[in-house]
């Protein structure tokens, strides 16, 4: 038998290892990226698992044309070219209907079936035009507190088409308010006992979260702020908040929160906060969203933690397409690696 050691090669497996180390791994699931396209910018955050911990690999934000068109598509394509690993995205909250309900089951499959029946009760659209998902917020022995999320399938299709045109397809689709919720919990800004009231004023609109003992009772979009007078916008938002609190007191006996924590962008006029103070029944405690990590980080952390109990609106056909593409890529890389090793072995024998 031909002996490589006798030709001065030493251990043949060690002689090939420097080359093999440069062959890229077949899987890049150690990195998860969430990208979100907002009204005037696109931002993304990549997270990496390392030594049992999760670290931010990169975070970027760049301007985005507000209107649909070639410039917006090019900016999105440039962002996606830099996004690594498994991709997640989110619909804006105003594109979804959200309802917190108590379901008499702890079985995930049963919850999904019940969620679709519940959507028929509160959605103005036919269920065959909707995509429905749910997330478990809390569980007791035989029941679960569940967030049901429904959106028009056309919103998902538009989101998917924009990302596919830019060269990528997301594996998971979330909603933006849950990214903020993840960050607020992470930074200990949600009261763990008693009633809590959070208002998030972001690029596309406002979201209200009412909690009890750290668990949401209500998550709803209050729509975009009216253009013009910020005090008038504040009055309209305050009316919605007061109505929500009154309804909860009547239906569930929930105590009215004493403080409304308002999370807003730095550029929001001070007249808005003053208007809330004048019209809202609760005391106003303002905060800046800029002091939190970026929204895309909250969405990326949710994507990294995602299990069957969490919301995912991505259609099954998207996941099937991604799995097929991944299998083809892995087979091609495995074939290339095999050919490279074979050529090295043949070269070694020839030498």
């Amino acid at each position: 038998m031909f002996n490589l050691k006798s030709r001065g090669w030493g251990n043949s497996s060690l002689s090939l290892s420097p080359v093999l180390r440069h062959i890229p791994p077949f899987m890049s699931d150690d990195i998860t990226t969430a990208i979100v396209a907002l009204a005037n910018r696109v931002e993304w955050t990549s997270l990496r698992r390392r030594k049992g911990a999760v670290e931010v690999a990169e975070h970027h934000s760049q301007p985005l044309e507000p209107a649909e068109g070639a410039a917006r598509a090019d900016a999105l394509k440039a962002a996606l070219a830099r996004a690594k690993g498994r991709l997640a995205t989110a619909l804006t909250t105003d594109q979804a209907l959200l309802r917190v309900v108590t379901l008499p089951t702890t079985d995930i499959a049963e919850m999904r079936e019940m969620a679709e029946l519940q959507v028929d009760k509160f959605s103005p659209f036919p269920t065959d035009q909707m995509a429905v998902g749910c997330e478990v917020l809390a569980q007791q022995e035989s029941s679960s507190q569940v967030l049901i999320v429904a959106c028009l399938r056309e919103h998902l299709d538009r989101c998917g088409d924009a990302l596919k045109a830019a060269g990528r397809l997301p594996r998971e689709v979330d909603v933006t308010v849950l990214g903020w919720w993840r960050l607020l919990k992470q930074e200990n800004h949600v009261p763990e006992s008693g009633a809590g009231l959070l208002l998030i004023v972001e690029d596309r609109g406002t979201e209200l979260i009412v909690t009890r003992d750290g668990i949401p009772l209500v998550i709803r979009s209050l729509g975009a702020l009216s253009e013009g007078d910020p005090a008038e916008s504040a009055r309209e938002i305050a009316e919605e908040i007061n109505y929500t609190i009154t309804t909860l007191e009547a239906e569930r006996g929930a105590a009215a929160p004493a403080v409304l924590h308002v999370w807003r962008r730095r550029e929001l006029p001070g007249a808005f906060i003053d208007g809330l103070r004048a019209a809202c029944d609760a005391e106003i405690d303002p905060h800046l969203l800029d002091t939190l990590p970026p929204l895309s980080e909250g969405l990326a952390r949710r994507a990294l933690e995602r299990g069957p109990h969490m919301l995912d609106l991505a259609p099954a056909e998207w996941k099937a397409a991604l799995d097929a593409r991944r299998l083809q890529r892995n087979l091609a890389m495995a074939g290339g690696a095999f050919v490279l090793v074979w050529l090295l072995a043949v070269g070694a024998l020839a030498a």
Side-chain angles (χ1 to χ4, degrees), residues 295-336:
L295 170 61
S296 55
E297 180 177 330
L299 294 170
R301 291 190 181 279
R302 280 179 53 82
L304 202 62
E305 298 160 355
R306 183 159 279 114
H309 65 291
M310 295 180 69
L311 174 72
D312 183 10
L313 293 170
E317 54 266 30
W318 292 9
K319 298 181 187 296
L322 286 168
D323 289 340
R325 190 181 305 171
R326 178 180 173 187
L327 178 61
Q328 290 174 352
R329 183 176 67 250
N330 288 348
L331 288 174
M333 293 175 68

Side-chain angles (χ1 to χ4, degrees), residues 98-159:
L98 301 96
R99 183 69 58 89
V100 177
V101 300
T102 300
L103 299 178
T105 182
T106 57
D107 182 81
I108 298 293
E110 289 183 357
M111 280 181 212
R112 290 175 180 155
E113 294 176 1
M114 293 179 182
E116 293 185 359
L117 295 175
Q118 290 284 332
V119 168
D120 195 38
K121 298 178 182 178
F122 64 81
S123 170
F125 305 104
T127 52
D128 59 356
Q129 297 179 16
M130 307 290 289
V132 180
C134 60
E135 178 157 336
V136 180
L137 302 174
Q139 285 190 321
Q140 292 75 42
E141 289 185 4
S142 59
S143 64
S144 304
Q145 194 165 328
V146 177
L147 171 66
I148 299 175
V149 180
C151 70
L152 283 171
R153 181 59 191 257
E154 66 184 51
H155 292 320
L156 275 178
D157 292 340
R158 193 177 301 117
C159 172

Side-chain angles (χ1 to χ4, degrees), residues 54-70:
V54 174
E55 64 180 21
V56 176
E58 63 174 356
H59 168 68
H60 291 284
S61 176
Q62 65 187 48
L64 194 63
E65 292 289 332
E68 298 294 335

Side-chain angles (χ1 to χ4, degrees), residues 8 41 65 70 72 97 112 128 131 135 137-138 151 154 160 190 195 207 213 256 259 263 268 298-299 345 350:
R41 75 182 193 283
E65 292 289 332
R72 185 180 176 92
L97 300 170
R112 290 175 180 155
D128 59 356
E135 178 157 336
L137 302 174
C151 70
E154 66 184 51
V190 177
E207 288 91 40
D213 298 334
V259 179
W263 291 87
L268 188 70
L299 294 170

Side-chain angles (χ1 to χ4, degrees), residues 8-296:
W9 284 82
N11 189 316
S12 60
S13 63
L14 291 178
S15 65
L16 295 180
S17 62
V19 177
L20 294 177
R21 280 198 296 268
H22 291 285
I23 298 174
F26 294 168
M27 301 180 59
S28 58
D29 284 352
D30 59 327
I31 294 182
T32 296
T33 297
I35 187 166
V36 56
L38 300 170
N40 57 0
R41 75 182 193 283
V42 58
E43 68 171 58
W44 66 97
T45 297
S46 297
L47 301 179
R48 177 192 292 116
R49 291 189 185 276
R50 177 173 289 178
K51 297 180 180 179
V54 174
E55 64 180 21
V56 176
E58 63 174 356
H59 168 68
H60 291 284
S61 176
Q62 65 187 48
L64 194 63
E65 292 289 332
E68 298 294 335
R72 185 180 176 92
D74 289 344
L76 193 56
K77 188 171 184 177
L80 284 168
R82 301 175 62 182
K84 302 178 180 68
R86 194 176 88 232
L87 188 68
T89 190
L91 297 178
T92 54
T93 312
D94 62 335
Q95 293 178 315
L97 300 170
L98 301 96
R99 183 69 58 89
V100 177
V101 300
T102 300
L103 299 178
T105 182
T106 57
D107 182 81
I108 298 293
E110 289 183 357
M111 280 181 212
R112 290 175 180 155
E113 294 176 1
M114 293 179 182
E116 293 185 359
L117 295 175
Q118 290 284 332
V119 168
D120 195 38
K121 298 178 182 178
F122 64 81
S123 170
F125 305 104
T127 52
D128 59 356
Q129 297 179 16
M130 307 290 289
V132 180
C134 60
E135 178 157 336
V136 180
L137 302 174
Q139 285 190 321
Q140 292 75 42
E141 289 185 4
S142 59
S143 64
S144 304
Q145 194 165 328
V146 177
L147 171 66
I148 299 175
V149 180
C151 70
L152 283 171
R153 181 59 191 257
E154 66 184 51
H155 292 320
L156 275 178
D157 292 340
R158 193 177 301 117
C159 172
D161 290 344
L163 294 177
K164 279 192 289 186
R168 297 287 296 274
L169 190 63
R171 177 166 287 277
E172 291 129 346
V173 178
D174 215 325
V175 289
T176 53
V177 67
L178 295 180
W180 288 123
W181 170 253
R182 173 65 176 77
L183 294 173
L184 290 168
K185 290 282 285 185
Q186 170 185 312
E187 302 297 316
N188 299 316
H189 291 304
V190 177
E192 291 300 321
S193 61
L197 194 57
L198 307 167
L199 183 70
I200 302 167
V201 186
E202 53 174 337
D203 300 54
R204 286 281 297 268
T206 57
E207 288 91 40
L208 178 67
I209 304 176
V210 186
T211 68
R212 181 165 58 195
D213 298 334
I215 299 170
L217 290 177
V218 172
I219 303 178
R220 59 174 297 211
S221 170
L222 301 182
L225 299 180
S226 2
E227 295 182 5
D229 185 5
E232 177 62 21
S233 293
R235 187 188 63 78
E236 294 172 357
I237 294 294
E239 287 180 358
E240 291 290 338
I241 294 172
N242 293 338
Y243 170 77
T244 301
I245 296 303
T246 301
T247 303
L248 277 174
E249 287 180 309
E251 292 181 354
R252 306 193 188 185
V259 179
L260 172 62
H261 300 275
V262 182
W263 291 87
R264 74 197 196 283
R265 294 288 178 196
R266 192 179 300 274
E267 55 270 20
L268 188 70
F272 180 83
I273 298 297
D274 294 337
L276 280 180
R277 285 197 173 101
C280 193
D281 293 340
E283 178 188 344
I284 306 301
D285 182 18
H287 308 268
L288 292 175
L289 285 172
D290 301 334
T291 61
L292 295 175
L295 170 61
S296 55

